[in-house]
């Protein structure tokens, strides 16, 4: 590794301002929410939409008649009242790309303006915009073309400067105190934002992964082999932590610790994911937990996915102790996009259903670890990636042609100290969040006395759907077999696939449910016309009850190209 230094001297380049225009006052939300990359989005001033999980708007990219191609979205950024889309239009000869920047109103997705790379003043060989979120700071948008970092003045719509890196650029840049920090494939750079001159660079032979974090005068970033680097703002290397892995992630910095997530190759056994907590000052490893990935840090806890993508989990940030674990997916996959917004942990999962891909956005309460709502959509061959949350709205990029806005809400009140009789009263509260929290708290306490009340809420045709959902989950946590018939009815007949799956999961937690539950579960597993996801869920329920081994073997043979999950917890 080496550090290259250039002179800090450069000509001052003033930002051009059009008559009557002003620079934007707000800077963009960074990838992972902030410079520490904790995954926590800014807390909103309010929630304008009363139905969390509702799809509000859908934006489809424009079609270019000259090239007969769509304007493909590479990535997005949001800053106050402006949503920025950076992307490319493929040339008619399929060998050239014209980068484009589009600005939308984030509330209604109406286009405000669009700018091509040529119009912005980019050179002809510097117009392929990379799949990296841009950064807006003080009226200048910093975005990356193939091997350049570019600064676009939003007032004049002209590029102020372009810096050519050694290889392709691959990170969401950070702007701090007049310096922009970013990485290319093998080099980490610090540039003067006035003119784009290099202040220093740091070479990493193994290659760099993702974006840096900046906390307390140190830059943290991961290498491709799992090494973690800490750089001073001068470009010096105070410490590094070696890794034996094949990949790293964006470091998460919180509570005086750097959380390093990596994947390690285990020969014929595949890969092992693990998270390490490293002292930010010294580089010493405090704790290591295997089998976890994609961390988000919030209020003393670390929220992550397990290695198979089956569960969302919460760990104690100081010790790595597992606090809760919630099943989120019937198959071994969950997306890497996880973040926190006002006490709610957001996760994206995917599953194949009848030759297409269903993407589900899940919102879990950070305290109870329970699913608050879900939004499932057929996304064809595309993946839906949650990008940012701002002022009660979640923005989701779907492949390279579509964008969603989804209403979100805050987490639930924590009712652990409330007496039991008060919880029974709160269960019928007109406030949806309070009623849900009461149901989850009764489930957490495994209060069998609450079974009748929870069943009444589940059966009530006038009750809000999210409260009925909380009652369903709580009945599973309590495990009273008296809930078996109602849970089975949901598993067999509910119109929503996620409800049917959750009901199967609840059935697997019942104590001695009897043949009235077990036999229908076996029928569901063995029914070749039943949806595969529900067959998996029913099988997981049988396995949780200590049954179903024969069904598991037969099921595995029937769909040999898909993996059976034997751990139902």
């Amino acid at each position: 590794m080496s550090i290259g230094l250039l002179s800090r001297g450069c000509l001052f380049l003033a930002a051009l301002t059009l008559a009557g225009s002003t620079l934007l006052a707000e800077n963009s939300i960074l990838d992972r929410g902030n410079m520490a990359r904790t995954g926590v989005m800014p807390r909103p001033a309010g929630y304008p939409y009363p139905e969390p999980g509702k799809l509000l708007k859908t934006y489809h990219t424009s079609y270019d008649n000259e090239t007969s191609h769509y304007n493909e979205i590479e990535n997005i950024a949001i800053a106050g009242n402006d949503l920025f889309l950076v992307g490319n239009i493929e040339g008619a000869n399929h060998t050239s790309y014209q980068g484009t920047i589009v600005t939308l109103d984030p509330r209604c997705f109406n286009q405000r303006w669009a700018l091509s790379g040529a119009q912005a003043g980019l050179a002809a060989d510097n117009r392929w915009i990379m799949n990296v979120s841009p950064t807006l700071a003080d009226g200048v948008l910093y975005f990356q073309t193939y091997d350049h970092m570019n600064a676009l003045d939003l007032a004049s719509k002209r590029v102020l400067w372009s810096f050519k890196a050694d290889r392709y650029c691959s990170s969401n840049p950070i702007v701090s105190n007049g310096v922009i920090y970013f990485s290319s494939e093998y080099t980490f750079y610090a540039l003067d934002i006035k003119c784009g001159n290099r202040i220093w660079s740091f070479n990493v032979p193994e290659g760099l992964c993702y974006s840096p974090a900046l906390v307390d005068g140190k830059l943290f970033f991961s290498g491709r082999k799992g090494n973690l680097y800490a750089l001073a703002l001068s470009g010096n290397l105070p410490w590094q932590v070696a890794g034996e892995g094949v990949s790293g992630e964006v470091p998460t910095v919180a509570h005086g610790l750097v959380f390093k997530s990596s994947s390690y190759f285990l020969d014929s056994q595949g890969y092992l994911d693990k998270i390490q907590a490293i002292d930010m000052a010294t580089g010493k490893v405090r704790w290591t937990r295997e089998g976890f990935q994609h961390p988000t840090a919030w209020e003393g806890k670390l929220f992550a996915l397990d290695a198979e993508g089956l569960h969302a989990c919460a760990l104690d940030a100081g010790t790595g102790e597992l606090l809760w674990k919630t099943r989120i997916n019937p198959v071994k996959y969950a997306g890497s996009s996880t973040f926190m917004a006002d006490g709610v942990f957001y996760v994206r999962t995917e599953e194949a259903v009848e030759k297409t891909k269903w993407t589900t956005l899940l919102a879990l309460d950070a305290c109870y670890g329970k699913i608050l709502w879900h939004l499932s959509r057929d996304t064809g061959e595309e993946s839906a990636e949650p990008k940012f949350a701002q002022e009660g709205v979640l923005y989701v990029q779907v492949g390279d042609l579509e964008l969603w806005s989804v209403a979100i809400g805050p987490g639930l009140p924590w009712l652990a100290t409330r007496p039991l009789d008060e919880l029974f009263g709160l269960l019928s509260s007109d406030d949806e969040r309070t009623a849900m929290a009461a149901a989850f708290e009764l489930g957490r306490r495994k209060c069998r006395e609450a079974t009748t009340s929870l069943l009444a809420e589940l059966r009530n045709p006038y009750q809000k759907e999210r409260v009925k959902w909380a009652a369903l989950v709580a009945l599973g946590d309590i495990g009273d077999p008296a809930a078996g018939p109602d849970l089975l009815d949901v598993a067999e007949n509910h119109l929503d696939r996620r409800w049917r799956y959750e009901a199967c999961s609840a059935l697997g937690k019942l104590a001695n449910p009897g043949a009235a539950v077990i036999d229908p579960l076996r029928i569901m597993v063995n029914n070749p016309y039943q949806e595969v996801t529900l067959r998996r869920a029913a099988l997981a329920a049988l396995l949780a009850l200590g049954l179903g081994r024969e069904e598991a073997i037969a099921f595995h043979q029937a769909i040999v190209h898909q993996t059976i999950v034997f751990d139902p917890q």
Side-chain angles (χ1 to χ4, degrees):
M1 287 159 287
S2 62
I3 298 174
L5 295 172
L6 290 186
S7 170
R8 296 181 65 103
C10 60
L11 295 175
F12 177 75
L13 182 58
L16 301 175
T17 305
L18 296 178
S21 65
T22 58
L23 295 179
L24 295 181
E26 294 190 62
N27 294 341
S28 60
I29 299 174
L30 291 178
D31 187 22
R32 303 290 298 152
N34 45 60
M35 290 188 184
R37 312 292 187 181
T38 60
V40 179
M41 298 292 149
R43 187 170 186 177
Y47 291 92
Y49 304 103
E51 299 179 55
K54 180 180 179 180
L55 181 63
L56 301 172
K57 296 286 183 181
T58 299
Y59 171 83
H60 297 277
T61 59
S62 58
Y63 186 77
D64 186 82
N65 291 319
E66 291 185 10
T67 63
S68 300
H69 285 86
Y70 284 94
N71 181 8
E72 298 178 354
I73 303 171
E74 294 294 343
N75 220 307
I76 71 171
I78 192 165
N81 292 322
D82 289 282
L83 183 63
F84 297 90
L85 279 60
V86 294
N88 296 289
I89 297 177
E90 186 178 355
N93 58 2
H94 304 283
T95 59
S96 63
Y97 290 85
Q98 170 69 291
T100 61
I101 299 173
V102 177
T103 302
L104 307 178
D105 184 326
R107 294 160 296 188
C108 58
F109 286 163
N110 288 342
Q111 181 174 306
R112 290 191 167 134
W113 53 263
L115 189 70
S116 70
Q119 291 170 331
L122 288 176
D125 60 349
N126 181 32
R127 294 176 186 169
W128 180 14
I129 293 181
M130 297 296 287
N131 182 14
V132 180
S133 179
T135 295
L136 175 67
D138 300 322
V140 178
L141 187 72
Y142 300 91
F143 67 98
Q144 295 163 76
T145 46
Y146 178 73
D147 56 358
H148 284 71
M149 174 61 70
N150 308 280
L152 175 73
D153 175 45
L154 293 184
S156 65
K157 307 294 192 298
R158 298 294 293 176
V159 169
L160 301 176
W161 52 258
S162 292
F163 174 84
K164 183 175 173 57
D166 60 342
R167 296 291 294 274
Y168 67 81
C169 300
S170 58
S171 67
N172 172 234
I174 287 177
V175 177
S176 177
N177 295 325
V179 181
I180 182 170
Y181 303 97
F182 70 100
S183 66
S184 66
E185 187 178 10
Y186 292 103
T187 307
F188 195 90
Y189 292 97
L191 308 182
D192 190 314
I193 63 170
K194 293 179 181 178
C195 54
N197 280 3
R198 183 176 64 163
I199 300 172
W200 55 259
S201 59
F202 182 85
N203 181 251
V204 182
E206 71 177 280
L208 289 160
C209 283
Y210 307 104
S211 304
L214 172 57
V215 178
D216 294 343
K218 284 193 180 74
L219 292 153
F220 304 93
F221 55 90
S222 297
R224 286 184 180 171
K225 294 184 178 180
N227 297 323
L228 176 68
Y229 299 87
L231 282 183
L233 297 186
S234 62
N236 295 319
L237 181 69
W239 56 259
Q240 75 176 74
V241 176
E244 66 275 17
V246 296
S247 66
E249 291 186 17
V250 179
T252 297
V253 186
H255 319 300
L257 298 171
V258 183
F259 299 99
K260 171 179 172 282
S261 178
S262 302
S263 296
Y264 296 84
F265 185 56
L266 297 177
D267 297 324
S268 61
Q269 300 178 43
Y271 292 89
L272 171 67
D273 294 295
K274 72 178 181 181
I275 295 175
Q276 290 179 299
I278 298 162
D279 189 289
M280 192 177 76
T282 65
K284 293 183 178 179
V285 177
R286 292 274 191 87
W287 56 259
T288 300
R289 283 300 302 262
E290 295 182 349
F292 295 94
Q293 58 180 332
H294 311 318
T296 289
W298 182 73
E299 294 196 353
K301 299 182 182 69
L302 199 67
F303 300 85
L305 304 179
D306 66 1
E308 295 178 321
L310 292 170
H311 303 86
C313 311
L315 309 174
D316 184 290
T319 64
E321 176 189 359
L322 181 65
L323 302 177
W324 54 254
K325 182 170 73 169
T326 298
R327 184 71 173 264
I328 59 172
N329 210 16
V331 295
K332 292 186 177 183
Y333 182 80
S336 59
S337 296
T338 65
F339 59 75
M340 182 74 63
D342 202 6
V344 180
F345 184 47
Y346 294 93
V347 180
R348 181 262 292 173
T349 71
E350 291 179 350
E351 56 188 294
V353 179
E354 297 179 355
K355 298 182 180 181
T356 189
K357 181 188 292 182
W358 276 81
T359 297
T360 300
L361 303 178
L362 296 170
L364 292 90
D365 183 74
C367 293
Y368 286 103
K370 302 299 181 184
I371 296 172
L372 299 175
W373 57 262
H374 67 277
L375 174 64
S376 295
R377 305 278 291 187
D378 179 356
T379 55
E381 298 180 356
E382 305 294 345
S383 294
E385 290 284 348
K387 291 291 186 178
F388 301 99
Q390 177 182 266
E391 297 305 323
V393 178
L394 174 67
Y395 296 92
V396 184
Q397 182 179 337
V398 185
D400 53 15
L401 298 178
E402 193 169 295
L403 190 67
W404 300 342
S405 61
V406 180
I408 60 174
L412 301 181
W414 181 240
L415 303 180
T417 60
R418 302 293 181 91
L420 195 60
D421 57 345
E422 184 177 348
L423 291 177
F424 277 97
L426 294 176
L427 189 61
S428 56
S429 171
D430 291 334
D431 181 73
E432 183 180 60
R433 293 174 56 246
T434 299
M436 291 181 70
F440 288 145
E441 180 60 29
L442 290 167
R444 190 183 73 86
R445 298 186 192 185
K446 300 189 182 301
C447 177
R448 283 210 173 190
E449 297 91 336
T451 299
T452 301
S453 298
L454 290 167
L455 284 172
E457 301 301 332
L458 182 63
R459 297 166 182 165
N460 184 357
Y462 303 105
Q463 182 56 274
K464 298 174 182 176
E465 284 297 294
R466 293 210 305 151
V467 178
K468 295 171 74 171
W469 168 270
L472 171 72
V473 174
L475 287 167
D477 291 339
I478 292 169
D480 189 339
D486 289 83
L487 296 177
L488 189 61
D489 179 63
V490 174
E492 292 179 329
N493 300 312
H494 202 283
L495 297 178
D496 189 298
R497 296 170 51 255
R498 176 61 61 166
W499 277 72
R500 299 199 302 272
Y501 166 67
E502 189 64 34
C504 285
S505 179
L507 287 167
K509 299 176 183 178
L510 299 184
N512 303 315
V517 167
I518 294 171
D519 290 347
L521 284 174
R522 283 194 162 121
I523 292 173
M524 291 166 64
V525 172
N526 294 316
N527 182 359
Y529 301 103
Q530 182 63 264
E531 184 183 306
V532 172
T533 299
L534 187 59
R535 295 177 68 188
R536 290 179 183 277
L539 176 59
L542 288 174
L543 294 171
L545 296 169
L547 305 167
R549 294 290 169 176
E550 293 182 2
E551 286 84 355
I553 294 172
F555 188 56
H556 179 65
Q557 292 173 344
I559 51 172
V560 68
H561 298 297
Q562 301 188 52
T563 304
I564 293 297
V565 178
F566 286 96
D567 175 16
Q569 300 302 316

